[in-house]
Structure formats: structure tokens, C-alpha cells
Amino acid sequence: MSKANDPITMLSLLYQFPTWLQRLYPGVLWRMNTEAKVVYLTFDDGPIPECTPQILDILAQHDVRATFFMVAENAVRHPHLLERVRNEGHAVGNHTYHHMRGCKHSLADYINDVEMANQVLDTPLFRPPHGRMTSCQKRALREQGYTICLWDVLTHDYNPNYSVEHMMKVIQRFVRNGSIITCHDSIKSKDRTLLLLPQLIQYLKNQGYEFATL
Ligand SMILES: [Zn+2]
């Protein structure tokens, strides 16, 4: 199959916004500006006992650090997992208190939810749930000193229609220097994420990439 006709190429926006499109959404961190072979693994929606410990085990086995964008109500329920993430050298990001979808809430409610989460998580890194929020919400959070982190490569590990083999093809196709790669530590994704993660790390290490936190 030629590259132009294969499904990953035709649907490439699902996995990566090209650089010119990323530039149309300023004030957001899509990718780290670096010439070095460094990538940034991120995990959204945890921490939860059903898979965050296993993810941490895999990261430890491979001596890899990552960034966990936590839903603060999960961190409150499982404080030992927040502590373990920090103790093992990973970074913590804010993913709101209640996994709030920006466009469904007023500016005041949204900012309040993020601030409540910050009381628990204490971090300037913020990722909006579903990757979306209103421009007013974005502006307000930036004015408060948050770095709005989206991603360069989305694995779709939460999507049961995608096999691990498919996700590895996405990684092979789209990862580049400075890529922020998004995975999840959630019930919905855990079976695929736990299978994907060792393969993803091994592949990227073989390609000469190092892993860092945001
Ligand atoms: Zn999320």
C-alpha cells in the first residue's frame, strides 16, 4: 500500500496536527522546541489503582520518567499513588478536579475547578480534558501562570478499535524530536496501554530517543 493511501496517512490529523496547524493555536505547548532526540511521555486521567501502579512499574523497569496529568479527585482518592508518582521522579500536571469539559462550563466554574485541583496537585502544568477549552478559559489560565500542554502525538490507547500494532505504527510514523506523546492511565485504556508501553519505550530507545518530563 502506498503511503498516501494507507489509513494512518489519510487520518493523520487524528494522531498529529502538522506543525502549520499547531501554529494556528498559539499559547499552547504542542511539542518541546529541541534539536535533541528527546520525547515526553504523558499519561492522562489517573491516578487509579487499576493501572497506574503497573505503568509505574514498567517505567521503572526501563528507567523512564514521564508526566502524569491527574484528575485531582482521583489523586484525593488515591494519595499514595500521587506520592509514588512524585517519589519516583515523574512530573505531575493538572487535568482539572472533575475532568471538566471546558465548553460545557462557565469561565468562573472552570477556573475554580482547575484551582481546586491545584490545591491538591500543586503544578503549573495544565492539560484540558478532551484537549479542548474556550479561548477565554485558555487566556485566564495562562494569565494565572499555567502552561497549557497539549500533545504532538496521540496514541488513541483509549480506543478499543485500535490494536497495539496500529498504535506502534502511529508511533513509528509521527514521533519526532521534542514530541509530547499522550497515553492514559484509565480503566478504558489500561489493557492496551499496558501492552503498548513496553513496546513503545523499547522502540524509541532503539531509535536513540531519551525520555524526559515536562
Ligand atoms: Zn482526560
Side-chain angles (χ1 to χ4, degrees):
M1 192 185 298
S2 80
K3 197 174 166 184
N5 292 332
D6 92 278
I8 291 180
T9 299
M10 288 191 293
L11 298 172
S12 67
L13 285 182
L14 284 179
Y15 310 107
Q16 181 173 63
F17 276 17
T19 303
W20 66 268
L21 200 50
Q22 294 182 359
R23 288 198 184 116
L24 292 182
Y25 295 89
V28 166
L29 186 62
W30 295 92
R31 177 186 171 197
M32 298 300 270
N33 186 12
T34 176
E35 296 296 314
K37 290 200 85 166
V38 182
V39 292
Y40 301 81
L41 265 184
T42 65
F43 295 89
D44 290 4
D45 298 350
I48 55 168
E50 290 84 352
C51 67
T52 307
Q54 295 92 317
I55 287 172
L56 290 169
D57 290 346
I58 294 169
L59 294 175
Q61 280 158 19
H62 292 85
D63 196 23
V64 163
R65 306 290 169 270
T67 303
F68 289 78
F69 285 92
M70 295 185 181
V71 175
E73 65 178 346
N74 287 339
V76 167
R77 261 185 225 132
H78 311 295
H80 62 290
L81 290 177
L82 171 58
E83 199 182 322
R84 185 176 164 194
V85 165
R86 284 222 169 94
N87 287 344
E88 295 185 7
H90 306 289
V92 172
N94 183 332
H95 200 45
T96 76
Y97 198 97
H98 296 101
H99 205 260
M100 201 176 250
R101 196 187 278 263
C103 59
K104 293 199 170 163
H105 296 274
S106 70
L107 175 63
D109 286 353
Y110 194 73
I111 301 302
N112 188 40
D113 202 77
V114 174
E115 275 304 303
M116 264 173 69
N118 194 43
Q119 298 299 312
V120 178
L121 303 171
D122 189 23
T123 170
L125 303 173
F126 176 74
R127 175 174 283 163
H130 309 281
R132 294 207 192 108
M133 59 182 156
T134 68
S135 51
C136 290
Q137 291 162 348
K138 181 174 84 173
R139 195 177 320 120
L141 289 178
R142 290 190 70 212
E143 281 170 10
Q144 291 188 22
Y146 288 100
T147 301
I148 314 293
C149 311
L150 290 179
W151 53 78
D152 189 45
V153 180
L154 187 60
T155 59
H156 287 264
D157 54 346
Y158 51 83
N159 188 331
N161 295 322
Y162 293 139
S163 64
V164 169
E165 192 191 5
H166 177 92
M167 289 187 277
M168 281 306 300
K169 282 185 186 155
V170 168
I171 294 293
Q172 289 160 18
R173 177 76 64 85
F174 294 109
V175 170
R176 49 191 175 172
N177 295 350
S179 278
I180 298 171
I181 303 168
T182 294
C183 303
H184 292 77
D185 48 339
S186 69
I187 300 274
K188 208 160 73 171
S189 64
K190 73 180 172 76
D191 292 341
R192 280 172 302 282
T193 310
L194 292 173
L195 283 174
L196 171 69
L197 193 53
Q199 290 187 41
L200 178 158
I201 292 170
Q202 199 54 60
Y203 169 78
L204 291 174
K205 280 193 168 180
N206 290 346
Q207 297 297 307
Y209 285 102
E210 292 184 2
F211 294 82
T213 60
L214 291 176

